[in-house]
């Protein structure tokens, strides 16, 4: 599989949450024939993805001129429900878009392994780990998805802080936030947790400054100690940030997509844990703050001796349903959807940091340069290692933590039970 160390002067980016797509779809499914492929995703209906889709279709058309391809853009908020119904019926699309991590790992029984078809792409693309299970690849990565902490340099300047030297410890960070709020009225964090997704970003963005290196690696490997004081500390920080007023008002009723991003873009908050992919990312923020005023910082150190790193994985990727008529032809479409030409178009139009390590992103601005430089030493995002069931539970519990109706001990107890149940 592609090695993270190969990332030098490259980039491309897209959340796990990468998400919020258009709702243009129907229930179209595979015809079961060899001359038509149906693709389900939540991206193909978006204007910013138009050039990407056309490039991919053109590439595939050269190889298989007699095969028709139909893209069906489903609404993201219903996507996995619709897909689950299709899987249960044993009928559905031939090629399927997934978020990396739990969303695809929970559904690999419905997918064809792609190892034999994508071997030529393994060095060119990064992020395979998020689409693999038990040593087999089930989707090819389109984007990389990470959870960097973006900040507004203009607010730092107004508060008399050096925007080139953001805080490196949690105590310094909280002090800087107090100075910014006093000088500008802006909150420390823009947070949207209406969907319960804010806690996922929080966990992944801060974990490398809280967990020891061994704890971090064990977490990713599935050997998670929910009773560890450092694991509990991450959830305590979440609760404390809410109680201390570091977040925007009404975080539990604020939608991450896209209300929380709007709060950051309008300079009503100094920081946001955003994305690297095609929404809630550097390109969106550059348009409002300007590229020169957008900063990216490492997680503040909470536990002495930790080394903060960029949390990232494969963002979104296409897999092949096991019921498709000809898996090789469907895999060829996946390869076209992850070709360099197609991904270059996705990066250029949507700002997605794509999984292709050969794309030139040198003109994208300082924030992207920082992200690219940190990809080489980045580590998988902790929340991506959890099952979708545990993530759903964590979202609900995070809302209760913010409202003060549950304790940290009760939260980690319930999450441990869910995690162990698989």
């Amino acid at each position: 599989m592609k090695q993270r160390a190969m990332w030098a002067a490259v980039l491309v980016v897209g959340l796990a949450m990468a998400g919020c797509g258009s709702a243009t779809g129907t229930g179209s499914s595979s015809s079961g024939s060899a001359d038509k492929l149906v693709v389900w995703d939540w991206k193909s209906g978006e204007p910013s993805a138009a050039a990407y889709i056309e490039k991919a279709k053109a590439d595939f058309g050269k190889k298989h001129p007699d095969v028709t391809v139909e893209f069906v853009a489903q609404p993201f908020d219903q996507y996995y429900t619709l897909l689950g119904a299709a899987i249960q019926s044993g009928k559905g699309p031939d090629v399927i878009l997934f978020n990396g991590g739990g969303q695809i790992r929970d559904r690999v029984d419905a997918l064809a392994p792609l190892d034999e078809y994508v071997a030529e792409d393994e060095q060119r693309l990064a992020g395979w780990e998020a689409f693999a299970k038990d040593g087999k690849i089930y989707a090819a990565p389109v984007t990389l998805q990470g959870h960097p902490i973006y900040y507004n340099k203009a607010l730092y300047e107004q508060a008399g802080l050096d925007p080139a030297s953001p805080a490196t410890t949690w105590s310094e960070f909280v002090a800087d936030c107090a100075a910014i709020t006093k000088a500008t009225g802006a909150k420390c964090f823009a947070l949207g947790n209406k969907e319960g997704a804010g806690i996922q970003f929080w966990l992944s963005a801060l974990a490398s400054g809280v967990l020891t290196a061994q704890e971090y690696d064990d977490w990713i490997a599935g050997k998670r100690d929910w009773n560890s004081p450092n694991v509990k500390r991450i959830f305590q920080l979440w609760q404390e940030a809410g109680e201390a007023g570091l977040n925007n008002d009404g975080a539990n009723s604020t939608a991450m997509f896209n209300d929380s991003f709007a709060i950051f873009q309008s300079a009503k908050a100094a920081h946001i844990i955003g994305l690297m992919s095609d929404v809630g990312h550097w390109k969106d923020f550059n348009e409002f703050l300007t590229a020169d005023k957008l900063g990216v910082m490492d997680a503040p150190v909470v536990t002495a001796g930790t080394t903060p790193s960029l949390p990232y994985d494969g963002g979104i990727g296409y897999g092949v349903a096991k019921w498709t008529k000809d898996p090789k032809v469907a895999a060829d479409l996946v390869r076209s959807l992850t070709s360099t030409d197609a991904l270059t178009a996705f990066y250029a139009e949507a700002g997605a940091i794509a999984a292709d390590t050969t794309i030139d992103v040198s003109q994208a601005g300082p924030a992207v340069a920082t992200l690219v430089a940190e990809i080489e030493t980045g580590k998988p995002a902790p929340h991506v290692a959890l099952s979708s069931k545990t993530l759903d539970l964590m979202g609900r519990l995070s809302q209760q933590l913010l409202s003060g109706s549950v304790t940290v001990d009760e939260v980690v107890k319930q999450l441990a039970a869910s995690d162990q149940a698989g």
Side-chain angles (χ1 to χ4, degrees), residues 95 129 202 223:
V95 174
E129 294 91 340
W202 183 269
K223 297 180 287 185

Side-chain angles (χ1 to χ4, degrees), residues 147-151 166-169 173 205-206 208-209 271 295-301 307-311 370-371 374 377:
H147 308 277
I149 302 174
Y150 294 99
Y151 66 98
T168 58
T169 68
F173 179 74
L206 296 185
S208 63
H271 307 84
V296 176
M297 62 182 288
D298 290 333
V301 170
T307 303
S309 58
L310 176 68
T370 300
L371 292 173
E374 295 190 354
T377 56

Side-chain angles (χ1 to χ4, degrees), residues 302-350:
V302 178
T303 303
T306 57
T307 303
S309 58
L310 176 68
Y312 83 96
D313 298 90
I316 56 175
Y318 284 99
V320 173
K322 68 178 182 182
W323 54 70
T324 195
K325 186 73 173 181
D326 189 333
K328 183 180 185 308
V329 174
D332 277 349
L333 178 55
V334 171
R335 295 195 66 204
S336 293
L337 285 161
T338 54
S339 65
T340 296
D341 280 352
L343 294 183
T344 298
F346 200 28
Y347 156 70
E349 297 298 323

Side-chain angles (χ1 to χ4, degrees), residues 156-173:
Y156 271 65
E157 291 170 350
Q158 292 174 41
L161 303 173
D162 181 359
S165 300
T168 58
T169 68
W170 182 256
S171 59
E172 292 172 354
F173 179 74

Side-chain angles (χ1 to χ4, degrees), residues 15 126 128 140 159 175 179 188 192 197 213-214 217 224 253 267-268 320 325 363 369 381 399:
L15 171 103
W128 293 97
C188 181
Q214 187 63 57
D217 292 343
R224 291 178 278 275
S253 58
K268 295 178 180 176
V320 173
K325 186 73 173 181
Q363 303 302 310
Q399 294 170 331

Side-chain angles (χ1 to χ4, degrees), residues 57-420:
K57 289 173 70 174
D59 183 74
F60 180 76
K62 294 176 184 175
K63 304 170 188 171
H64 301 283
D66 298 328
V67 179
T68 300
V69 178
E70 179 188 2
F71 281 83
V72 181
Q74 303 284 13
F76 182 73
D77 59 353
Q78 302 171 37
Y79 186 74
Y80 288 107
T81 300
L82 294 171
L83 184 57
I87 290 173
Q88 277 197 327
S89 70
K91 297 178 181 178
D94 301 279
V95 174
I96 308 167
L97 183 65
F98 284 96
N99 293 110
Q103 294 291 10
I104 187 170
R105 291 184 186 127
D106 290 352
R107 297 171 173 85
V108 295
D109 288 346
L111 300 175
L114 299 182
D115 303 72
E116 65 179 301
Y117 307 119
V118 300
E120 292 181 32
D121 303 324
E122 289 191 22
Q123 292 303 308
R124 179 175 57 85
L125 300 176
W128 293 97
E129 294 91 340
F131 302 103
K133 184 176 182 179
D134 298 332
K136 294 182 179 178
I137 295 171
Y138 288 94
V142 172
T143 64
L144 298 182
Q145 185 57 284
H147 308 277
I149 302 174
Y150 294 99
Y151 66 98
N152 184 331
K153 293 182 178 179
L155 291 176
Y156 271 65
E157 291 170 350
Q158 292 174 41
L161 303 173
D162 181 359
S165 300
T168 58
T169 68
W170 182 256
S171 59
E172 292 172 354
F173 179 74
V174 172
D176 285 356
C177 285
I180 291 170
T181 299
K182 182 178 181 180
T184 70
K187 293 288 189 177
C188 181
F189 282 112
L191 175 63
N193 199 45
K194 184 177 181 179
E195 309 93 332
I199 186 66
Q200 298 178 26
F201 287 34
W202 183 269
L203 167 62
S204 288
L206 296 185
S208 63
V210 182
L211 303 180
T212 66
Q214 187 63 57
E215 284 178 322
Y216 198 108
D217 292 343
D218 285 347
W219 179 286
I220 300 301
K223 297 180 287 185
R224 291 178 278 275
D225 180 5
W226 290 91
N227 290 315
S228 159
N230 288 337
V231 170
K232 290 184 179 180
R233 186 67 183 130
I234 295 173
F235 294 93
Q236 288 168 348
L237 288 171
W238 170 266
Q239 186 178 46
E240 290 171 9
E243 291 174 345
L246 299 186
N247 306 321
N248 51 267
D249 295 338
N252 270 344
S253 58
T254 301
M256 174 181 286
F257 300 97
N258 289 308
D259 293 348
S260 66
F261 301 134
I263 290 172
F264 178 68
Q265 290 165 175
S266 61
K268 295 178 180 176
H271 307 84
I272 191 167
I273 300 171
L275 298 169
M276 290 164 56
S277 59
D278 56 321
V279 65
H281 64 344
W282 60 275
K283 189 171 185 178
D284 287 345
F285 302 149
N286 280 355
E287 293 178 6
F288 292 87
L289 306 183
T290 74
D292 289 341
K293 297 300 183 185
L294 180 66
V296 176
M297 62 182 288
D298 290 333
V301 170
V302 178
T303 303
T306 57
T307 303
S309 58
L310 176 68
Y312 83 96
D313 298 90
I316 56 175
Y318 284 99
V320 173
K322 68 178 182 182
W323 54 70
T324 195
K325 186 73 173 181
D326 189 333
K328 183 180 185 308
V329 174
D332 277 349
L333 178 55
V334 171
R335 295 195 66 204
S336 293
L337 285 161
T338 54
S339 65
T340 296
D341 280 352
L343 294 183
T344 298
F346 200 28
Y347 156 70
E349 297 298 323
I353 292 187
D356 192 314
T357 61
T358 68
I359 296 175
D360 179 9
V361 296
S362 59
Q363 303 302 310
V368 173
T370 300
L371 292 173
V372 172
E374 295 190 354
I375 283 176
E376 183 176 355
T377 56
K379 290 187 174 183
H383 82 268
V384 178
L386 301 176
S387 70
S388 55
K389 182 178 179 181
T390 299
L391 289 175
D392 288 344
L393 175 62
M394 188 166 71
R396 296 193 295 276
L397 291 172
S398 73
Q399 294 170 331
Q400 295 174 32
L401 264 182
L402 279 184
S403 67
S405 60
V406 68
T407 66
V408 170
D409 285 344
E410 181 60 27
V411 166
V412 295
K413 179 181 178 180
Q414 291 191 42
L415 291 175
S418 176
D419 192 27
Q420 291 166 5

